[in-house]
Every structure is written in structure tokens, then in C-alpha cells.
């Protein structure tokens, strides 16, 4: 089970890296690729699976899991909005994506 958990964590982190990387690649033109939205959704799904495993096998920090889930939902929604609107994405939506990703990483590491 430890191996599966480790694979899920790696997939989760890779999805966040792809989401942030595709945002950086599109930052100048504000033309997001579909990969940003899909990788954010993948990170959300992998994160929920990890949360279930932690809740079943260990002593979960529910506050941390709740904050991270909320941030992942926010990033996913913002990424899909940006994908739908393309270059006309409002600044609040466009810059909310990396901010929420970075806050999510800080919560994962520091809390």
C-alpha cells in the first residue's frame, strides 16, 4: 500500500507542476492550453484519492485536507474558466491560478 500511496503522491505533484508550468508558458499571451485545466483536475482527483487513503490508514489532519481540497477546487474552476475564455480571461481569474497553486503547496509543506 505504501508503494501505491507514493505513486499517487508523485502523480499529484506532477499534475500541479504541469498546471503551473503551462500557466507560466502561457503567461505572456494569456492563451491557456487545455492541459492546464486537465492537470489541475487530475491533481484534484489524485489529491482526493490520497485523502481517502490517509483517512482510512492513518490519522488525518482534516483542516489541512479541507484547505487543500478547497484550493484544488478553486484552481480547477479557474483553469476551466480561463480555458473557456481564452485570451479574454479576466486578470483576477488568470492570476488566481498560480496564486492558489502556490498557496496549496505552502499548505502541504508548512502545515
Amino acid at each position: 500500500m505504501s508503494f501505491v500511496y507514493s505513486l499517487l503522491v508523485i502523480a499529484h505533484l506532477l499534475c500541479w507542476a504541469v498546471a503551473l508550468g503551462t500557466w507560466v508558458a502561457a503567461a505572456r499571451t494569456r492563451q491557456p492550453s487545455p492541459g492546464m485545466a486537465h492537470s489541475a483536475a487530475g491533481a484534484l482527483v489524485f489529491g482526493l484519492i490520497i485523502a481517502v487513503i490517509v483517512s482510512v490508514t492513518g490519522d488525518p489532519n482534516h483542516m489541512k485536507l479541507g484547505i487543500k481540497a478547497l484550493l484544488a477546487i478553486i484552481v480547477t474552476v479557474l483553469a476551466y474558466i480561463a480555458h473557456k475564455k481564452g485570451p479574454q480571461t479576466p486578470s483576477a481569474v488568470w492570476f488566481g491560478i498560480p496564486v492558489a497553486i502556490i498557496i496549496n503547496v505552502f499548505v502541504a509543506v508548512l502545515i
Side-chain angles (χ1 to χ4, degrees):
M1 190 64 170
S2 175
F3 179 72
V4 173
Y5 178 79
S6 297
L7 283 178
L8 289 170
V9 170
I10 290 169
H12 177 71
L13 292 174
L14 286 175
C15 284
W16 281 129
V18 169
L20 189 59
T22 54
W23 183 90
V24 169
R28 177 176 283 171
T29 62
R30 286 195 183 185
Q31 180 61 46
S33 72
M36 181 171 57
H38 296 314
S39 62
L44 173 63
V45 169
F46 285 126
L48 291 175
I49 294 170
I50 292 167
V52 168
I53 291 173
V54 168
S55 295
V56 169
T57 61
D59 186 28
N61 182 346
H62 293 293
M63 179 68 74
K64 179 179 180 177
L65 294 176
I67 291 170
K68 287 184 59 59
L70 179 63
L71 287 168
I73 291 168
I74 289 170
V75 170
T76 303
V77 169
L78 291 178
Y80 275 104
I81 291 171
H83 175 63
K84 179 92 170 157
K85 293 195 179 251
Q88 290 80 27
T89 302
S91 292
V93 172
W94 184 250
F95 292 107
I97 295 169
V99 168
I101 291 172
I102 292 168
I103 291 172
N104 199 340
V105 171
F106 277 122
V107 169
V109 173
L110 298 177
I111 294 179

